[in-house]
């Protein structure tokens, strides 16, 4: 499961036992469901803990954003609950909206952006699904060992005490792929999973990663 960050209510109200989303998350964790949440986009220059719920909850996997150089995005929230970073800048994604005026064409006619098109977006909500997808692959690999699984992942699972049976074990497996598996910083958790990102880039061309405007 993948969650976006929630600015309101605050963490205190979110965890007071009355918030329905908090109850659902706790029940899911008890059931062994892996939950990945975006950390939020309130980073800036603040040195405070700006991670938003549910990403601020300790029992789930919290994801920050990094740029193409594996440096934490300036907008990305920070805090002690952060686990990992993933690419979260300049994603082409489908956006729905109301057409709006953008100028005039060469004939003097009004020009509007279409109501449905692709836009370049950024945020921890862009980074979060990447980690959620990787977590899902780990869960599948821990159960069925598909033939298409990479030799590196196969060896890692065979020599690990963690079999991706719950959120804690998936986090520990992901940590083994992180840039700093033994170090944790409040700004970016255990860092990026750059080895996996570089591997994907060698298998998928830039043309396939880029979505042309509709």
């Amino acid at each position: 499961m993948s969650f976006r960050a929630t600015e309101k209510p605050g963490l205190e109200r979110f965890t007071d036992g009355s918030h329905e989303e908090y109850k659902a998350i706790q029940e899911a964790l008890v059931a062994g469901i892996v939950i990945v949440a975006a950390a939020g986009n309130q980073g800036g220059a603040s040195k405070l803990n700006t991670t938003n719920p549910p990403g601020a909850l300790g029992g789930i996997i919290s994801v920050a954003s990094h740029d193409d150089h594996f440096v934490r995005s300036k907008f990305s929230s920070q805090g002690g609950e952060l686990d990992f970073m993933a690419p979260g800048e300049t994603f082409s994604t489908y956006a729905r909206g109301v057409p709006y005026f953008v100028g005039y064409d060469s004939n003097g006619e009004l020009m509007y952006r279409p109501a449905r098109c692709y836009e370049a977006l950024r945020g921890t909500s862009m980074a979060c699904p990447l980690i959620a997808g990787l977590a899902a692959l780990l869960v599948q690999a821990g159960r069925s060992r598909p033939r298409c699984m990479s030799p590196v992942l196969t060896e890692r699972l065979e020599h690990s005490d963690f079999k991706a049976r719950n959120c804690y074990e998936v986090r520990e497996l992901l940590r083994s792929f992180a840039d700093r598996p033994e170090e944790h910083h409040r700004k970016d958790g255990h860092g990026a999973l750059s080895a996996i990102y570089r591997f994907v880039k060698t298998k998928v061309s830039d043309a396939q990663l880029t979505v042309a405007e509709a």
Side-chain angles (χ1 to χ4, degrees):
M1 298 178 66
S2 176
F3 281 84
R4 66 179 292 274
T6 305
E7 295 184 29
K8 294 181 180 180
L11 182 60
E12 294 79 9
R13 181 181 172 189
F14 188 88
T15 57
D16 67 0
S18 63
H19 197 273
E20 292 301 320
E21 188 174 339
Y22 174 75
K23 292 179 180 179
I25 289 173
Q26 296 306 309
E27 292 176 1
L29 289 174
V30 171
I33 296 175
V34 178
I35 299 179
V36 184
N41 304 317
Q42 283 74 45
S46 174
K47 295 183 180 180
L48 300 176
N49 187 336
T50 54
T51 305
N52 292 325
L57 299 179
I60 67 178
I61 298 172
S62 183
V63 182
S65 167
H66 69 68
D67 60 19
D68 288 340
H69 302 288
F70 307 109
V71 177
R72 184 181 69 90
S73 303
K74 292 182 179 180
F75 58 77
S76 187
S77 294
Q78 55 186 309
E81 300 84 2
L82 283 180
D83 291 300
F84 311 106
M85 296 191 299
E89 299 196 19
T90 59
F91 271 73
S92 293
T93 185
Y94 187 73
R96 294 182 180 180
V98 178
Y100 64 84
F101 173 71
V102 294
Y104 297 90
D105 62 17
S106 58
N107 297 320
E109 299 292 333
L110 297 177
M111 295 175 57
Y112 290 89
R113 191 202 73 172
R116 296 180 178 180
C117 66
Y118 287 91
E119 289 186 350
L121 300 178
R122 63 177 188 167
T124 56
S125 291
M126 306 297 111
C128 179
L130 300 178
I131 298 295
L134 181 56
L137 290 175
L138 286 171
V139 171
Q140 179 190 14
R143 293 176 179 174
S144 61
R145 295 293 197 278
R147 293 181 179 180
C148 62
M149 190 169 64
S150 72
V152 174
L153 185 55
T154 301
E155 182 180 1
R156 189 71 57 89
L157 284 170
E158 288 178 351
H159 293 84
S160 173
D161 293 331
F162 304 109
K163 305 304 178 185
R165 292 167 293 195
N166 52 52
C167 200
Y168 171 75
E169 292 192 355
V170 169
R171 180 194 289 110
E172 291 302 300
L173 283 167
L174 288 172
R175 185 165 67 89
S176 68
F177 289 102
D179 291 348
R180 299 191 312 272
E182 303 303 327
E183 296 182 24
H184 183 278
H185 298 167
R186 62 185 304 277
K187 288 186 176 182
D188 54 11
H190 292 287
L193 280 64
S194 58
I196 293 177
Y197 182 62
R198 290 191 179 98
F199 173 78
V200 172
K201 289 285 284 185
T202 64
K203 299 297 182 181
V204 183
S205 67
D206 289 337
Q208 290 174 295
L209 289 173
T210 303
V211 181
E213 184 171 336

